[in-house]
Amino acid sequence: MSDQVNRRDFLKRAGVVGAAMAIGIGSQELQANTRRPNLVYVFPDQYRRHTIGFVNEDPVLTPRLDAFAKEGVYLPHAVSNYPVCSPYRAMSMTGQWPARNGVMANCNSSRTHLDNFLKKDAYCLTDALSDAGYHTAYLGKWHLDGPPSTPEGERAVWNVFTPPGPRRHSIDFWYSYGAANNHMEPYYWTGDGGEDSRIDIKQWSPEHEADQAIAYIRNDGGDHRDADRPFAIFLSINPPHPPYHPVPDRYRELYTGKSVDDLLVRPNVARGESGNKRAPGSVLDYFAMVSGVDEQFGRILDTLEAEGIADDTIVVFTSDHGEMMSGHGRMSKNVIYEESLNVPFLIRYANGIQARTDDLMLGTPDIYPTLLGPMGLGDRIPDAVEGVDRSSVIRDGSGVRPDAAAYMRLPPGRPSGGPRGVRTHRYTYQYGRPNQDAMLFDNTQNPYQMDNLAGKAPDLVKEMVGQMEAELERIQDPWLDRRGG
């Protein structure tokens, strides 16, 4: 498609470095005197910002994240613009919005005929890093490929093998699966083998994936990566994604004696008949998973220290979206409420980032260009990337800050459909389509979004509509052509 950029086109535009690589000069020679920082990007699934101990909102135990936050930049206003799995992954990998990259909903076989999967000619973040000389690794959940279409009426298939080649987007070390929730008995496709190369494991998946990430970082046996190249590892941990009960008892025991009321403390949690029946039986396991992920993340941090490369490595902890956990009577995600939209974003780089809390509103497509900045690759951001490089703000607080972030949900194959909204530092607004009420919340005065101002503040509604449409115009969202029709 015309607005994708493939590798050949990018290399033609990439200047001296790209031209050198195109004619066969290796990345090792190019970077002999300019060793770039490594990257460790960890993103568990369905982990909301509020579920980190130091935030003091959910009663969780996350000692490693609490300490990590003091060493880097914490962004309390990071958002998942389309808070569901595959769209987040496609936006972060391509730097493009769903209408452009084509992933408008979660990838499964019922949507493959609508081209709802990551295109093999997309120039992804991993492609850019590979072309800059990085050895790249991906572990865990991928969920960006479309399984073969199933006939109408048959159950959709979610998990799929991604074969070696262009669909893996220059990832050198592959230890992954498509979309499966077998937390205690996970399986993975590894290396360059075929579909029959699947390995089955009997171990809690976050722990096993941390084991593999640690072996990769240490380069056990010398066969995980080229030690002369910087590395970039993406670790996609499925928990705390449902089902919540498959979690080791040692993490449940951290919450021994805690009642449901001790754990579901957010004022917007619906109880009784209006509450979600799944939440009381899920919240302890959800928090146990969160604590387990915290421990495994800490093991990776310890490995960087032990290998003497912690200061030379950019480490990110974030998530694809949150979890409502009976907030407003809902479970899951894919809504504009804070528990779904607002995600953790912590980044540490001792050699290039001033540790602090910053109110930067980082959107999902911004991740790709923003990571390239501190890696010294800001001049290699492709023209097709729609996200904005916010690395100067993260580095030292300087630079342009956005004042709004779009929210969207798109029906597969219909990029102008679905709801739209906007989040600012103070307000959250969702447009009211025909037969649907608008939502407007003052997140400063009403942080749990329990008082809908849409019918009470017409002047403010008008202002927020203008701000939403300005943001949608900036990103050229086709929704504006139909106003959500």
Side-chain angles (χ1 to χ4, degrees):
M1 55 193 297
S2 62
D3 47 17
Q4 297 281 2
V5 58
N6 61 39
R7 175 171 297 165
R8 180 177 298 174
D9 292 338
F10 177 71
L11 289 174
K12 287 179 180 178
R13 298 202 307 260
V16 176
V17 173
M21 296 177 76
I23 63 174
I25 299 176
S27 60
Q28 195 170 325
E29 291 89 338
L30 286 170
Q31 298 182 38
N33 298 314
T34 56
R35 177 79 180 202
R36 302 190 187 279
N38 306 307
L39 172 67
V40 175
Y41 188 92
V42 180
F43 61 117
D45 200 322
Q46 208 143 319
Y47 193 123
R48 65 190 188 190
R49 180 189 67 85
H50 317 84
T51 309
I52 304 178
F54 78 90
V55 175
N56 292 320
E57 294 203 30
D58 285 335
V60 291
L61 300 172
T62 57
R64 299 309 303 266
L65 282 168
D66 296 349
F68 180 72
K70 298 176 182 178
E71 301 168 350
V73 175
Y74 163 53
L75 304 181
H77 293 281
V79 300
S80 178
N81 303 88
Y82 185 167
V84 73
C85 184
S86 298
Y88 165 89
R89 292 160 194 268
M91 284 188 287
S92 60
M93 287 292 285
T94 66
Q96 297 176 332
W97 295 91
R100 181 73 62 87
N101 66 46
V103 181
M104 301 184 206
N106 273 338
C107 298
N108 65 43
S109 60
S110 72
R111 297 159 180 162
T112 300
H113 70 287
L114 298 170
D115 289 338
N116 190 81
F117 50 81
L118 181 64
K119 311 307 181 288
K120 65 181 180 180
D121 62 345
Y123 192 80
C124 291
L125 175 58
T126 48
D127 294 313
L129 292 172
S130 178
D131 285 338
Y134 278 79
H135 192 280
T136 57
Y138 195 97
L139 288 84
K141 181 176 179 178
W142 179 244
H143 203 185
L144 281 170
D145 274 330
S149 295
T150 48
E152 186 175 354
E154 291 192 12
R155 186 174 182 178
V157 174
W158 290 71
N159 198 23
V160 65
F161 167 69
T162 299
R167 301 205 72 84
R168 291 190 182 178
H169 293 279
S170 308
I171 294 168
D172 300 301
F173 182 88
W174 184 267
Y175 201 99
S176 184
Y177 59 92
N181 300 315
N182 304 340
H183 303 327
M184 297 302 261
E185 297 184 354
Y187 53 84
Y188 305 87
W189 285 285
T190 66
D192 295 329
E195 192 163 2
D196 60 355
S197 68
R198 189 182 110 174
I199 61 172
D200 292 70
I201 304 295
K202 292 187 180 299
Q203 186 181 13
W204 194 49
S205 59
E207 182 178 35
H208 181 72
E209 289 156 18
D211 287 348
Q212 301 310 308
I214 288 168
Y216 175 86
I217 292 168
R218 292 192 312 217
N219 204 16
D220 289 349
D223 57 358
H224 286 71
R225 57 184 175 86
D226 181 350
D228 293 326
R229 297 161 62 189
F231 65 81
I233 181 169
F234 295 83
L235 176 52
S236 174
I237 300 172
N238 200 14
H241 187 283
Y244 296 125
H245 63 276
V247 59
D249 287 338
R250 67 183 184 273
Y251 300 125
R252 285 197 188 92
E253 291 167 1
L254 296 173
Y255 299 92
T256 297
K258 299 291 185 182
S259 69
V260 170
D261 288 339
D262 292 331
L263 299 174
L264 288 175
V265 297
R266 297 178 69 76
N268 61 9
V269 168
R271 304 180 188 276
E273 291 298 319
S274 60
N276 190 288
K277 295 180 180 178
R278 289 171 51 203
S282 299
V283 62
L284 187 149
D285 289 339
Y286 180 73
F287 288 175
M289 283 184 168
V290 163
S291 293
V293 168
D294 178 80
E295 180 176 78
Q296 302 311 318
F297 179 63
R299 293 177 60 218
I300 294 170
L301 297 179
D302 290 343
T303 301
L304 295 174
E305 291 286 350
E307 295 296 305
I309 57 175
D311 290 352
D312 302 317
T313 301
I314 298 169
V315 182
V316 174
F317 184 92
T318 186
S319 178
D320 55 353
H321 53 75
E323 160 62 62
M324 293 301 298
M325 196 54 68
S326 201
H328 305 280
R330 295 173 175 267
M331 295 290 283
S332 198
K333 61 270 186 177
N334 211 2
V335 289
I336 201 171
Y337 292 116
E338 285 290 279
E339 291 85 356
S340 166
L341 186 78
N342 190 198
V343 293
F345 198 96
L346 308 169
I347 179 169
R348 185 187 75 180
Y349 179 32
N351 288 338
I353 291 176
Q354 298 176 5
R356 68 195 188 283
T357 296
D358 195 287
D359 71 354
L360 171 67
M361 190 175 298
L362 187 73
T364 309
D366 300 334
I367 292 171
Y368 179 157
T370 297
L371 288 178
L372 291 184
M375 301 174 85
L377 302 172
D379 59 347
R380 299 176 68 88
I381 300 170
D383 293 342
V385 166
E386 297 175 303
V388 178
D389 178 4
R390 307 291 183 190
S391 59
S392 66
V393 181
I394 288 179
R395 183 175 59 249
D396 58 18
S398 65
V400 177
R401 297 165 179 270
D403 57 9
Y407 162 79
M408 60 185 61
R409 189 167 74 243
L410 287 67
R414 194 159 61 90
S416 63
R420 297 294 189 276
V422 67
R423 183 192 186 277
T424 69
H425 286 91
R426 179 165 182 175
Y427 297 105
T428 295
Y429 173 74
Q430 181 172 302
Y431 179 79
R433 297 175 295 157
N435 303 317
Q436 179 177 339
D437 292 336
M439 293 194 296
L440 173 61
F441 303 106
D442 182 336
N443 299 322
T444 300
Q445 299 296 322
N446 180 27
Y448 297 100
Q449 300 176 315
M450 300 173 70
D451 183 14
N452 186 359
L453 302 176
K456 308 173 185 178
D459 291 342
L460 182 57
V461 168
K462 184 177 180 180
E463 177 184 335
M464 295 306 298
V465 168
Q467 196 149 15
M468 179 190 73
E469 294 189 346
E471 182 64 9
L472 296 180
E473 181 66 34
R474 183 187 71 81
I475 67 176
Q476 299 181 22
D477 190 331
W479 184 91
L480 287 173
D481 298 333
R482 297 180 58 189
R483 295 299 191 273

